[in-house]
Amino acid sequence: MRTVLIIDDNPAVGEALSLLLSLHDIRPLTALTPEEGLATLERESVDVAIQDMNFTADTTSGEEGVELFRAIRQRHADLPLILLTAWTHLETAVELVKAGAADYLAKPWDDAKLLATVENLLELSESTREVNRTRLERRKRREALQRKYDLDGLVFASEAMARTLDLACQVARSDVPVLITGPNGAGKERIAAIVHANSAVRNGPFIAVNCGALPGELIEAELFGAEAGAYTGANKAREGRFELADGGTLFLDEIGNLPLPGQMKLLRVLETGQFERLGSGRTRKVKVRVLSATNADLKAMIRAGTFREDLYYRLNVIDVNLPPLSERIDDILPLAEYFLAGRAQLSDAAREALLAYAWPGNVRELKNAIERAALLAGAGPITPEQLNLPQITGAASVRNLDEPSREVVESALQKAEGVVSRAAQSLGLSRQALYRRMERYGLISQT
């Protein structure tokens, strides 16, 4: 049950507040001294605390309240605190709000305002606990993955990446082909390297070839090797990537760029482990774990006749999808800090800019932006200007037009009698989203 602790040396104050809170399904606890209040916090689960500023007769300095506030903050840093103060202590209360108190209310208080403040803080406390619980679960899952598998030092914090890694590492021990799908720059080769590191052939070579970076007439020679004179410029025999990867893993990036003759040879290697070098009639045999990746729509290519359907199903025994960075927002700041490597600090405005940007170039674009900003920042913190991110246009600009103004937010809060959950519902926002806008507009302490 939602619980509020009232710390006040006047029993009448505790009784009045207890009655008010009880009528709204809030469990009240009371303490007459700071020591009793601190002891109660140690043994009870409290969501919000309301504390007086003076506890000794004929004392009006507010120093006891400041000392209690600091003691609670030291032991329970996330506990929302409401200060009860006389107008003579207003400056002290304001200073404590700046130091982390949730709000202050003057004696005698207004029941409606106090109740609205408590309700909002209870909702915020619930949201904070949920966020902390989710973060803890994600951290435990990351740590479990890191203990169980070799993740090659990969930096991630998002649940989407955790799911991708979990699947990739689960299928790593088998010898079936794996197709890694996802946009350019998202890190498909890193996933392939992690699959190899956790496979039965991890002690063998890991050979990567980008099929999209080679001329079509050279791809077959790159993959299967060539004898001297097999093509113009082939002055001597050369091994292909399959021979180099024998006993290990071959990663074929941008597999959609492989021409049809090469696709036929690849299908044969996958089925039999056999192939011939260009210009040779001698059949060679290898044992290679094949991983492939693409950002292309292979099914559309099959319909267009540019990719073999039988090869697609041979490669796509397991599909590991790597989401774009825009769907892994929790990864953005950890990756940025990793790329910075302590060379500079990100300002709060730069962090907001990083999180607001869509990252069409994915992790590769983020790395380039951070490298550029680190060079320009010098001794100061990195600013959004140094990141040089393109301006948000198109759909994002349209969405900004729908952003509720300060007046709209104030009106919604007024109609909801200060209760954030009801105001958020009327605006079509989550509680957390409305809290962010209230903080932006400076409305937090007014409710």
Side-chain angles (χ1 to χ4, degrees):
M1 188 175 184
R2 302 180 302 170
T3 302
V4 173
L5 172 62
I6 304 149
I7 311 174
D8 197 297
D9 63 315
N10 186 343
V13 170
E15 291 175 7
L17 288 176
S18 294
L19 177 60
L20 175 65
L21 297 174
S22 299
L23 292 173
H24 293 84
D25 297 322
I26 300 170
R27 174 188 175 219
L29 298 174
T30 59
L32 295 174
T33 65
E35 295 75 20
E36 187 181 345
L38 292 171
T40 302
L41 287 173
E42 292 301 319
R43 67 173 184 270
E44 297 278 357
S45 176
V46 174
D47 301 301
V48 174
I50 302 173
Q51 69 152 86
D52 193 12
M53 294 297 292
N54 293 292
F55 293 90
T56 304
D58 300 324
T59 300
T60 59
S61 66
E63 292 179 1
E64 292 172 311
V66 173
E67 186 177 345
L68 174 59
F69 168 82
R70 290 174 178 166
I72 294 176
R73 267 287 159 267
Q74 184 177 6
R75 304 179 197 184
H76 308 276
D78 296 327
L79 179 67
L81 276 166
I82 300 173
L83 308 175
L84 284 180
T85 177
W87 287 109
T88 51
H89 307 131
L90 186 57
E91 289 184 4
T92 302
V94 170
E95 289 301 316
L96 292 184
V97 168
K98 291 179 180 178
D103 207 344
Y104 63 86
L105 296 171
K107 292 181 178 180
W109 62 85
D110 176 86
D111 281 355
K113 180 171 175 56
L114 184 142
L115 189 62
T117 301
V118 169
E119 288 279 7
N120 286 335
L121 291 176
L122 286 170
E123 291 175 2
L124 184 59
S125 180
E126 180 184 350
S127 298
T128 300
R129 281 199 306 272
E130 181 63 23
V131 168
N132 289 338
R133 184 188 65 78
T134 301
R135 286 176 178 170
L136 179 61
E137 289 179 354
R138 288 181 178 179
R139 188 178 78 240
K140 287 181 177 178
R141 182 171 183 181
R142 287 199 306 273
E143 292 172 350
L145 285 171
Q146 289 163 346
R147 286 194 302 269
K148 188 175 182 180
Y149 302 115
D150 179 0
L151 300 184
D152 193 30
L154 187 71
V155 175
F156 71 100
S158 68
E159 186 64 14
M161 182 56 89
R163 288 193 297 267
T164 295
L165 290 170
D166 198 9
L167 175 60
C169 292
Q170 283 186 52
V171 303
R173 297 293 295 179
S174 68
D175 59 357
V176 299
V178 174
L179 178 64
I180 304 169
T181 57
N184 281 336
K188 296 189 289 295
E189 185 169 344
R190 289 297 305 276
I191 299 300
I194 288 171
V195 172
H196 171 73
N198 293 277
S199 70
V201 295
R202 59 184 174 275
N203 294 323
F206 175 78
I207 305 296
V209 56
N210 187 341
C211 299
L214 296 171
E217 63 273 13
L218 294 181
I219 290 181
E220 287 189 59
E222 283 290 329
L223 292 181
F224 309 111
E227 297 295 339
Y231 58 90
T232 303
N235 298 321
K236 60 180 180 180
R238 57 173 296 184
E239 291 181 311
R241 302 300 177 95
F242 269 97
E243 289 177 80
L244 294 173
D246 192 16
T249 298
L250 177 63
F251 173 55
L252 302 176
D253 199 4
E254 304 301 342
I255 190 67
N257 290 84
L258 190 64
L260 286 170
Q263 293 178 31
M264 189 179 302
K265 278 194 172 183
L266 177 58
L267 181 62
R268 182 186 174 207
V269 178
L270 293 175
E271 290 176 343
T272 67
Q274 298 178 346
F275 65 96
E276 292 83 27
R277 288 180 180 176
L278 286 179
S280 171
R282 183 166 75 88
T283 299
R284 288 173 165 79
K285 188 174 180 67
V286 292
K287 184 172 179 58
V288 173
R289 170 75 179 278
V290 174
L291 308 175
S292 55
T294 184
N295 69 334
D297 185 346
L298 294 185
K299 290 185 177 179
M301 294 180 66
I302 291 170
R303 292 192 294 270
T306 57
F307 200 85
R308 293 179 62 100
E309 186 173 16
D310 49 1
L311 176 59
Y312 171 77
Y313 288 113
R314 193 70 177 81
L315 290 171
N316 194 27
V317 176
I318 298 292
D319 182 355
V320 175
N321 179 254
L322 180 57
L325 189 56
S326 60
E327 296 178 12
R328 297 154 40 198
I329 295 176
D330 289 344
D331 291 339
I332 293 174
L333 293 182
L335 283 168
E337 296 287 359
Y338 173 77
F339 294 141
L340 274 176
R343 291 174 292 169
Q345 297 292 323
L346 289 166
S347 67
D348 289 342
R351 290 172 179 271
E352 290 179 8
L354 291 173
L355 294 174
Y357 184 56
W359 299 108
N362 294 289
V363 178
R364 187 180 297 132
E365 183 183 11
L366 173 62
K367 182 178 181 181
N368 291 340
I370 291 298
E371 290 294 336
R372 179 185 186 280
L375 289 173
L376 297 176
I382 291 175
T383 65
E385 292 74 23
Q386 290 162 343
L387 291 170
N388 195 34
L389 300 177
Q391 294 296 311
I392 299 173
T393 57
S397 297
V398 174
R399 284 196 299 271
N400 286 338
L401 295 176
D402 295 330
E403 183 75 7
S405 66
R406 178 191 174 99
E407 292 73 20
V408 171
V409 171
E410 284 183 317
S411 175
L413 288 167
Q414 186 176 8
K415 291 177 181 177
E417 297 179 345
V419 178
V420 171
S421 59
R422 293 205 297 265
Q425 186 176 12
S426 70
L427 292 170
L429 300 171
S430 66
R431 287 200 309 265
Q432 293 88 342
L434 181 52
Y435 271 119
R436 287 195 296 271
R437 285 154 180 82
M438 290 167 62
E439 185 175 9
R440 186 187 311 158
Y441 295 144
L443 299 175
I444 289 291
S445 63
Q446 297 179 22
T447 57

